């Protein structure tokens, strides 16, 4: 009797385990990260397969990035709705061999809830797209109304700059904004089929913003004509500022190449580099301001070649002098080593290591005095180490030392 009962339990358990394996098909719902899958969808237009995920790790076969269409959003949402219906139709319990009842109600409820979450992240993405697009355009419209209402005199450069900045923004976004309303309306219509309703503000924006956008473009054209004289006046000033900056940059570059830290010896190397860094920071700020102004007035920006070269070389100067001081400090320490404690092999390895490191430095500094000075230190040191090796030879006698002393007098 006991044996037959145990066999029945084992058989029923196996049947139950086999039955619940069908739910493994849904395990991605709780194993996959929703935000990662959504990010893939937004980047590639679809969730990626495992093979495609592995392809992402390979630089040889990159996946093409394609923004998803509204139809692809609909397909994703519908797939989860179909899955919800499929799970909803499953039984809430099952009896195995008459006696074993398995209750799936709690699991089914959790599974349906999880499917709803997956569906909602796609719906919420569309909702956010509609709300944020309209809100951003409304805020931009308010900014335009404020700035385009300003009066700019010829000498009022800050105000003219504000107006031109807004005019350029309108020009840059014209095509995108002209074509944004129909797709957004289509998105709202799609979401309505899923019983998603927006608040009155959104519907009001759909009514008012297209007209406000058209009015904004007409106003921008009138303002552009109105500021033309002031713009021409400022264009002339900016050209002069750019020419002056180019001249200053040429003079600075000429002086930069004569800095004491290009020579050996040089005191206060780091103080000089710090001062140059401050000067370059100021000029880089001036360059950025001039470049931004030139872009707004559709002018050629100032030439930044000399400034970038100075920035590059001041970093290289700091780098080579770091090596000079490191090697000199090391050599000075070695000079204090007693004769019997000199480890020629270790010193030789260290010298070769320094030599290898300086050869990896930028080739442009190889004609600089600090670089040549550093090479000379290492070359002389290697020569000295070879001489020390010979002098440490046990075959050296007193008469050899005497001869050496006579030769080096």
């Amino acid at each position: 009797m006991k044996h037959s009962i145990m066999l029945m339990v084992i058989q029923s358990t196996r049947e139950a385990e086999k039955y619940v394996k069908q739910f493994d098909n849904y395990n991605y719902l709780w194993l996959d990260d929703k935000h990662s899958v959504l990010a893939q969808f937004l980047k590639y237009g679809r969730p990626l397969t495992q093979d495609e995920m592995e392809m992402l790790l390979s630089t040889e076969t990159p996946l093409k990035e394609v923004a998803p269409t509204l139809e692809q959003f609909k397909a994703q949402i519908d797939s989860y709705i179909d899955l919800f219906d499929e799970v909803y139709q499953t039984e809430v319990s099952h009896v195995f061999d008459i006696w074993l009842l398995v209750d799936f109600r709690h699991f089914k409820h959790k599974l349906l809830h999880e499917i709803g979450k997956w569906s909602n992240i796609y719906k919420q993405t569309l909702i956010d797209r509609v709300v944020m697009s309209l809100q951003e355009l409304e805020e931009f419209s308010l900014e335009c109304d404020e700035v385009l209402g300003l009066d700019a005199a010829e000498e009022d450069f800050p105000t003219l700059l504000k107006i031109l900045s807004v005019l350029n923004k309108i020009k840059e976004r014209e095509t995108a904004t002209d074509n944004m309303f129909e797709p957004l309306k289509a998105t709202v219509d799609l979401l309505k089929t899923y019983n998603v309703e927006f608040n009155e503000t959104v519907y009001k924006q759909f009514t008012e913003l297209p007209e406000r956008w058209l009015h904004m473009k007409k106003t921008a054209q009138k303002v552009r004509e109105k500021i033309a004289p002031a713009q021409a006046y400022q264009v002339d000033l900016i050209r002069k500022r750019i020419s002056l900056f180019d001249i200053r940059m040429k003079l600075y570059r000429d002086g930069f190449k004569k800095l004491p830290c290009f020579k050996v010896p040089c005191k206060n190397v780091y103080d000089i580099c710090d001062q140059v860094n401050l000067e370059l920071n100021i000029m880089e700020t001036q360059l950025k301001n001039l470049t931004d102004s030139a872009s707004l007035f559709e002018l050629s920006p100032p030439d930044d070649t000399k400034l970038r070269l100075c920035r590059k070389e001041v970093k290289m100067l700091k780098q080579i002098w770091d090596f000079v001081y490191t090697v000199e400090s090391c050599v000075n320490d070695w000079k204090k080593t007693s004769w019997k404690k000199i480890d020629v092999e270790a010193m030789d390895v260290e010298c070769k290591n320094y030599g290898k490191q300086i050869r990896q430095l930028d080739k442009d500094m190889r004609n600089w005095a600090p670089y040549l000075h550093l090479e000379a230190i290492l070359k002389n040191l290697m020569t000295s180490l070879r001489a020390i090796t010979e002098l440490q030879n046990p075959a050296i006698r007193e008469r050899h030392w005497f001869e050496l002393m006579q030769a080096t007098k």
Side-chain angles (χ1 to χ4, degrees), residues 46 53 73 107 129 210 241 320 381 390 404:
R46 54 190 168 75
M53 290 285 289
F73 269 100
F107 172 76
R129 179 179 294 180
R241 291 191 188 113
I320 189 62
L381 188 57
E390 294 176 1
L404 180 62

Side-chain angles (χ1 to χ4, degrees), residues 105-161:
R105 282 177 296 180
H106 182 68
F107 172 76
K108 182 177 178 179
H109 172 75
K110 288 291 185 181
L111 189 57
L112 290 172
H113 182 66
E114 201 65 29
I115 296 171
K117 283 184 177 181
W118 278 95
S119 175
N120 286 337
I121 64 170
Y122 291 93
K123 294 177 188 176
Q124 191 61 49
T125 300
L126 293 176
I127 293 170
D128 292 342
R129 179 179 294 180
V130 171
V131 173
M132 292 173 65
S133 296
L134 294 174
Q135 185 61 33
E136 188 274 333
L137 180 57
E138 181 163 3
E139 291 172 359
F140 180 67
S141 174
L142 294 173
E143 179 190 358
C144 290
D145 291 343
E146 179 183 351
V147 175
L148 296 182
L150 299 174
D151 289 324
E154 284 188 348
E155 295 82 4
D156 191 358
F157 182 69
T159 301
L160 185 61
L161 211 59

Side-chain angles (χ1 to χ4, degrees), residues 186-230:
T187 303
V188 171
D189 291 339
L190 174 64
L191 289 170
K192 281 183 179 178
T193 64
Y194 301 121
N195 299 318
V196 175
E197 292 291 339
F198 291 87
N199 58 41
E200 288 300 319
T201 302
V202 171
Y203 296 114
K204 184 179 178 182
Q205 288 172 327
F206 266 117
T207 303
E208 296 178 354
L209 285 177
E211 291 297 325
R212 287 172 66 179
W213 171 243
L214 290 174
H215 176 71
M216 197 187 311
K217 290 194 293 181
K218 292 177 182 178
T219 303
Q221 183 59 37
K222 293 178 181 178
V223 171
R224 195 177 290 278
E225 295 171 0
K226 181 181 177 182
I227 66 171

Side-chain angles (χ1 to χ4, degrees), residues 274 396 399:
D274 287 343
I396 294 290
R399 62 185 176 83

Side-chain angles (χ1 to χ4, degrees), residues 116-348:
K117 283 184 177 181
W118 278 95
S119 175
N120 286 337
I121 64 170
Y122 291 93
K123 294 177 188 176
Q124 191 61 49
T125 300
L126 293 176
I127 293 170
D128 292 342
R129 179 179 294 180
V130 171
V131 173
M132 292 173 65
S133 296
L134 294 174
Q135 185 61 33
E136 188 274 333
L137 180 57
E138 181 163 3
E139 291 172 359
F140 180 67
S141 174
L142 294 173
E143 179 190 358
C144 290
D145 291 343
E146 179 183 351
V147 175
L148 296 182
L150 299 174
D151 289 324
E154 284 188 348
E155 295 82 4
D156 191 358
F157 182 69
T159 301
L160 185 61
L161 211 59
K162 286 182 181 178
I163 295 173
L164 282 174
S165 177
V166 166
L167 290 176
N168 284 349
K169 288 179 182 178
I170 293 174
K171 183 179 178 181
E172 289 170 0
R173 65 179 297 160
E174 183 173 3
T175 302
T177 305
D178 285 344
N179 299 318
M180 71 177 275
F181 295 106
E182 288 304 319
L184 289 181
K185 287 178 180 177
T187 303
V188 171
D189 291 339
L190 174 64
L191 289 170
K192 281 183 179 178
T193 64
Y194 301 121
N195 299 318
V196 175
E197 292 291 339
F198 291 87
N199 58 41
E200 288 300 319
T201 302
V202 171
Y203 296 114
K204 184 179 178 182
Q205 288 172 327
F206 266 117
T207 303
E208 296 178 354
L209 285 177
E211 291 297 325
R212 287 172 66 179
W213 171 243
L214 290 174
H215 176 71
M216 197 187 311
K217 290 194 293 181
K218 292 177 182 178
T219 303
Q221 183 59 37
K222 293 178 181 178
V223 171
R224 195 177 290 278
E225 295 171 0
K226 181 181 177 182
I227 66 171
Q231 186 175 355
Y233 175 80
Q234 290 296 338
V235 163
D236 185 56
L237 285 182
I238 292 172
R239 283 200 180 105
K240 291 177 181 177
R241 291 191 188 113
I242 290 174
S243 298
L244 180 61
F245 182 84
D246 288 339
I247 293 171
R248 287 179 55 212
M249 198 61 247
K250 182 180 183 302
L251 294 173
Y252 185 85
R253 176 63 186 168
D254 293 341
F256 179 86
K257 290 186 288 187
K258 298 176 183 177
L259 287 173
C261 46
F262 281 100
K263 302 174 183 178
V264 177
C266 176
K267 296 181 179 179
N268 304 321
V269 169
Y270 295 124
D271 290 339
I272 295 173
C273 288
D274 287 343
Q275 180 61 35
V276 169
N277 180 60
L278 291 174
E279 294 167 355
L280 292 177
N281 285 340
I282 293 172
M283 286 186 285
E284 285 167 347
T285 301
Q286 294 171 346
L287 173 68
K288 183 181 183 305
N289 292 336
L290 280 174
T291 301
D292 291 344
S293 298
S295 175
L296 283 173
F297 288 89
E298 299 180 348
L299 298 174
S300 298
D303 184 10
D304 65 345
T305 305
K306 293 181 176 64
L307 184 57
R308 285 190 290 106
L309 192 56
C310 288
R311 171 59 72 187
K312 175 186 175 183
E313 289 182 355
V314 76
K315 293 178 180 178
M316 290 161 58
L317 278 171
K318 166 72 167 54
Q319 193 176 23
I320 189 62
W321 276 105
D322 284 345
F323 269 102
V324 170
Y325 288 138
T326 300
V327 173
E328 285 183 342
S329 174
C330 187
V331 171
N332 289 334
D333 286 342
W334 287 347
K335 287 179 180 178
K336 300 174 185 177
T337 307
S338 63
W339 179 260
K340 292 183 178 180
K341 292 183 179 180
I342 294 177
D343 188 344
V344 176
E345 185 177 347
M347 292 180 179
D348 183 68

